[in-house]
Amino acid sequence: MKVSATTDSPVVETLKPAHQSRRTTIKSGRILIYVLLVLGAIVFILPFMWMVTTSLKPSQQVFTFPPQFFPSTFQWQNYVDGWTTLPFTHFLINTIIVTVANVFGNLISCALPAYGFARLRARGSNVMFVLMLATMMIPAEVTLVPTFILFSKVGLVNTLWPLILPAWFGYPFSIFLLRQFFMSIPNELDDAARIEGASNLRILISIILPLSKPALATVAIFAFVGNWNNLLSALIYLRSTNQFTLAIGLNLFYGQSVTAYNQLMAVSILTILPIIVTFFFSQKYFIRGVVLSMGER
């Protein structure tokens, strides 16, 4: 004889409070997580919002006490005055030249060795890969003086070449990132292409790279952000104003008798605007490329 449990049975009545209590606990935990995330977002975005409001304040209101978050009058002219005080248009052109050259150089110089480490088999390749990764532990400050002496001997100081050429020799982290992603692509695609007579270079260009758009986008974003804000290298190698980039141009606001912080904040916002726009439009590829690359063992 089959006995069916009804909603009025004691067992069901006993399970209901426990189930409801569990749902209440999960819901409360989610609410707490959302509250913490919102508070963290406010903490991180507050300095940026303060920079935005400072860029719109009159000069006499920047250091008022007690501080005022919102300006009494919005001075949009600060953006025009700050940009035209120094030749920032020329600085922008130099920055674009350096950044674009570095992005392409990083993609080309890192994709080739990454394909070699991921697909080609040779004696000692694993040892070479470990040695390449070991160079990531060398601080950039260690190679700063020898690199400067090298560029000084060949007469490239006070030109944009010292900011461009290093990217064309590959970066270990980008090579590692691309290599991990290339390893996640099935080897059967390479075998099918070799049967058709394709060379390794043709396989890389026609098969591997089109399937590696998320990883390539990640490397391009890293190269773009790193070179757009590069101050140290530009400060060391550049001497004349016509070679300056935006990072050095922002520093020119300092060192005067009076620093126009409202104009400095205005130009700073214009400077970081391309980075913000680039990240928002490419964050899907960026996150996907990092997750897929790091997920490959």
Side-chain angles (χ1 to χ4, degrees):
M1 182 177 181
K2 188 181 294 185
V3 180
S4 60
T6 62
T7 56
D8 297 331
S9 64
V11 177
V12 176
E13 292 295 333
T14 304
L15 293 176
K16 274 186 177 181
H19 182 65
Q20 292 177 354
S21 177
R22 190 180 302 109
R23 291 184 60 184
T24 303
T25 303
I26 295 175
K27 187 176 181 180
S28 301
R30 288 180 178 177
I31 293 175
L32 179 61
I33 292 174
Y34 289 145
V35 170
L36 292 177
L37 289 176
V38 170
L39 292 177
I42 293 175
V43 170
F44 279 99
I45 203 174
L46 186 60
F48 177 74
M49 296 306 300
W50 185 268
M51 184 171 66
V52 173
T53 56
T54 303
S55 68
L56 298 173
K57 293 178 181 178
S59 300
Q60 64 273 14
Q61 197 179 354
V62 174
F63 293 106
T64 57
F65 188 83
Q68 296 181 2
F69 188 80
F70 294 101
S72 57
T73 57
F74 292 90
Q75 299 286 334
W76 297 99
Q77 189 65 26
N78 291 336
Y79 287 85
V80 179
D81 295 339
W83 190 264
T84 56
T85 299
L86 295 168
F88 275 100
T89 302
H90 191 73
F91 299 162
L92 176 62
I93 295 174
N94 292 336
T95 305
I96 292 176
I97 294 174
V98 172
T99 303
V100 172
N102 274 270
V103 169
F104 280 102
N106 206 3
L107 290 175
I108 295 173
S109 62
C110 294
L112 293 174
Y115 175 78
F117 285 126
R119 284 297 201 259
L120 304 182
R121 294 293 175 262
R123 183 177 300 175
S125 60
N126 292 331
V127 176
M128 295 296 295
F129 182 68
V130 172
L131 292 176
M132 187 273 298
L133 291 180
T135 60
M136 297 174 60
M137 296 184 291
I138 301 176
E141 291 77 11
V142 174
T143 60
L144 195 61
V145 174
T147 306
F148 177 82
I149 294 175
L150 174 63
F151 284 119
S152 178
K153 292 294 184 180
V154 296
L156 294 181
V157 175
N158 198 28
T159 65
L160 298 179
W161 288 111
L163 308 182
I164 296 174
L165 289 179
W168 289 84
F169 291 91
Y171 290 114
F173 178 76
S174 300
I175 295 174
F176 167 75
L177 195 68
L178 292 177
R179 182 251 188 188
Q180 296 300 103
F181 194 93
F182 291 168
M183 291 180 64
S184 65
I185 300 175
N187 291 326
E188 288 78 6
L189 298 176
D190 298 17
D191 298 335
R194 286 193 177 92
I195 293 174
E196 298 295 330
S199 62
N200 287 320
L201 184 60
R202 173 59 62 183
I203 293 173
L204 173 64
I205 296 176
S206 301
I207 297 177
I208 303 298
L209 293 183
L211 295 176
S212 305
K213 291 180 181 179
L216 294 175
T218 304
V219 173
I221 293 172
F222 276 125
F224 176 80
V225 175
N227 289 279
W228 190 269
N229 292 328
N230 187 4
L231 173 63
L232 181 60
S233 298
L235 195 62
I236 291 174
Y237 292 108
L238 303 182
R239 298 288 184 268
S240 56
T241 306
N242 60 342
Q243 299 290 342
F244 284 174
T245 58
L246 287 174
I248 299 184
L250 289 175
N251 276 353
L252 295 180
F253 275 98
Y254 298 101
Q256 302 175 3
S257 57
V258 178
T259 302
Y261 285 97
N262 51 352
Q263 297 181 11
L264 174 61
M265 295 297 106
V267 179
S268 299
I269 291 175
L270 295 177
T271 302
I272 66 175
L273 195 59
I275 298 178
I276 297 175
V277 173
T278 301
F279 178 77
F280 272 105
F281 278 97
S282 58
Q283 60 178 333
K284 178 179 69 174
Y285 297 99
F286 175 76
I287 296 174
R288 183 184 175 191
V290 172
V291 170
L292 293 179
S293 299
M294 295 305 178
E296 177 64 29
R297 297 180 181 274

